[in-house]
Amino acid sequence: MTDHPLPSWRNGPARTAILDFVARVTAENGPDHVPQPERIAVFDNDGTLWCEQPYQVQVFFLTDRVRELAAKDPALAARQPFKAFLEGDHATLHALGKQGIQELFFATHAGMTEDEFAVLARDWLARAKHPKLGRTFPQLTYQPQLELLDFLRANGFKIFVASGGGMDLIRAFSEDTYGIPPEQIIGSSMKLRFEAGDAGVSIVKLGELNSFDDREEKVVNIGLHIGRRPIFCFGNSDGDLAMLRYTLAGKGARLGLLLHHDDAEREFAYDRDFPLSPLVEALEKADAYGITVVSMQNAWSTVFPDAAAP
């Protein structure tokens, strides 16, 4: 624990809530002490740990993948929904919804081994840049959240990501960027098949959705993959509300945080108007559920690392 934890967090209700909560659960003789093995924190990814506007990063990845496939099969470019991706047809993309995009994403990687996909994902993440902000997507993680991850780890927390995004894409950068190893990533997943032959032993992607890790399914997958109820949760949309409520419903000290994107100058301002991942119910019922709302504009002195902002 540093002398000045969370330097990019301004003094205010959110920073105070975090510091107070961590102090209480780590005080060995205090009434709210939580043994270290039970200090489980879960974070959403898109819009909570890194930028998700104007689309989740997975959409940009999928668009580039469709371009690659269309170069090999030009007829693909005339078919929907592939045509919409290539033309930036916002209405069609929004109509697909987050699950529809996820299903299409998985379909375009059918037949790859997990190792092949990891190489493809890491190469793309190293070179692809956000169309407005001009940085690679891992460079668009939020500096205050990186500090929070470090602060929690320094205080004995084990941190998991529970995301609606594709699990394998997040695993391709999570350890280098967040310090969170791949085994602590929970996300939407595709069906897999074990193969053994002359070429070796591998796991192959079947191109079909296995689990769409959003809303109530996030809670189910937390139970399946973690086996402990988190005591700390951070999200940013209605897709995270079930996870927040599950965290806060447990016994003892708990903290649930909801990031509100209200900073159009340094990032983007949106909530209910983002069709792919709206923030409506969680924001309206935050007080009733005991959720602490974090205003990006008010709570963070900087947004991206190195003070890079649009």
Side-chain angles (χ1 to χ4, degrees), residues 46 52-60 62 85 89-102 164-165 212 214-215 236-240 270-279:
D46 296 311
E52 67 173 355
Q53 286 291 323
Y55 300 111
Q56 284 89 0
V57 175
Q58 197 122 41
V59 177
F60 293 108
L62 175 56
F85 279 89
D89 180 348
H90 301 285
T92 299
L93 296 180
H94 288 158
L96 282 174
K98 199 155 55 168
Q99 181 169 344
I101 288 172
Q102 199 64 260
F212 178 49
D214 199 41
R215 297 183 180 264
N236 81 300
S237 74
D238 287 352
D240 304 315
Y270 64 96
D271 41 51
R272 66 183 66 242
D273 55 335
F274 185 34
L276 290 178
S277 192
L279 173 60

Side-chain angles (χ1 to χ4, degrees), residues 215-226:
R215 297 183 180 264
E216 289 77 12
E217 192 69 12
K218 282 196 177 191
V219 177
V220 171
N221 282 331
I222 286 171
L224 179 66
H225 292 280
I226 301 178

Side-chain angles (χ1 to χ4, degrees), residues 32-71:
D32 294 320
H33 177 256
V34 176
Q36 185 168 329
E38 298 175 20
R39 294 177 203 163
I40 302 296
V42 291
F43 284 75
D44 170 58
N45 187 55
D46 296 311
T48 300
L49 291 176
W50 70 354
C51 182
E52 67 173 355
Q53 286 291 323
Y55 300 111
Q56 284 89 0
V57 175
Q58 197 122 41
V59 177
F60 293 108
F61 188 24
L62 175 56
T63 300
D64 284 354
R65 177 64 177 161
V66 170
R67 287 195 184 104
E68 293 174 6
L69 295 175

Side-chain angles (χ1 to χ4, degrees), residues 248-289:
L248 294 170
K251 296 179 181 179
R254 308 256 152 190
L255 183 61
L257 300 163
L258 182 73
L259 182 61
H260 187 202
H261 292 261
D262 57 358
D263 197 328
E265 182 178 346
R266 297 184 299 174
E267 200 230 18
F268 299 92
Y270 64 96
D271 41 51
R272 66 183 66 242
D273 55 335
F274 185 34
L276 290 178
S277 192
L279 173 60
V280 183
E281 184 183 2
L283 190 60
E284 293 175 350
K285 296 184 177 179
D287 286 344
Y289 292 141

Side-chain angles (χ1 to χ4, degrees), residues 12-244:
R15 187 174 187 272
T16 297
I18 293 168
L19 295 178
D20 175 70
F21 170 75
V22 172
R24 287 189 291 120
V25 300
T26 57
E28 291 192 11
N29 297 319
D32 294 320
H33 177 256
V34 176
Q36 185 168 329
E38 298 175 20
R39 294 177 203 163
I40 302 296
V42 291
F43 284 75
D44 170 58
N45 187 55
D46 296 311
T48 300
L49 291 176
W50 70 354
C51 182
E52 67 173 355
Q53 286 291 323
Y55 300 111
Q56 284 89 0
V57 175
Q58 197 122 41
V59 177
F60 293 108
F61 188 24
L62 175 56
T63 300
D64 284 354
R65 177 64 177 161
V66 170
R67 287 195 184 104
E68 293 174 6
L69 295 175
K72 298 175 183 177
D73 178 12
L76 191 72
R79 286 164 37 202
Q80 291 288 19
F82 303 103
K83 186 172 182 287
F85 279 89
L86 295 174
E87 295 178 352
D89 180 348
H90 301 285
T92 299
L93 296 180
H94 288 158
L96 282 174
K98 199 155 55 168
Q99 181 169 344
I101 288 172
Q102 199 64 260
E103 290 172 345
L104 184 60
F105 174 84
F106 289 149
T108 59
H109 295 88
M112 280 189 177
T113 67
E114 286 197 315
D115 291 340
E116 289 168 341
F117 178 84
V119 171
L120 178 73
R122 291 191 185 104
D123 174 70
W124 184 85
L125 288 163
R127 59 180 170 78
K129 292 187 176 181
H130 190 281
K132 179 182 177 182
L133 305 182
R135 307 183 84 196
T136 64
F137 294 101
Q139 290 174 332
L140 293 175
T141 56
Y142 301 132
Q143 177 63 30
Q145 299 293 57
L146 295 177
E147 294 169 4
L148 178 55
L149 295 174
D150 286 342
F151 178 61
L152 292 174
R153 272 190 292 265
N155 283 278
F157 280 78
K158 188 172 185 179
I159 302 169
F160 292 81
V161 169
S163 173
M167 182 168 61
D168 288 340
L169 179 62
I170 302 170
R171 286 175 170 175
F173 71 91
S174 63
E175 193 155 29
D176 289 340
T177 304
Y178 300 149
I180 302 175
E183 64 269 22
Q184 289 165 220
I185 303 299
I186 304 166
S188 295
S189 59
M190 61 195 303
K191 293 182 180 179
L192 305 171
R193 180 179 64 235
F194 170 80
E195 289 190 357
D198 294 338
V201 178
S202 60
I203 296 174
V204 176
K205 298 178 176 295
L206 299 184
E208 299 175 47
L209 183 66
N210 177 56
S211 174
F212 178 49
D213 192 57
D214 199 41
R215 297 183 180 264
E216 289 77 12
E217 192 69 12
K218 282 196 177 191
V219 177
V220 171
N221 282 331
I222 286 171
L224 179 66
H225 292 280
I226 301 178
R228 291 184 189 271
R229 189 189 295 253
I231 66 169
F232 179 103
C233 181
F234 210 140
N236 81 300
S237 74
D238 287 352
D240 304 315
L241 181 55
M243 179 171 70
L244 284 158

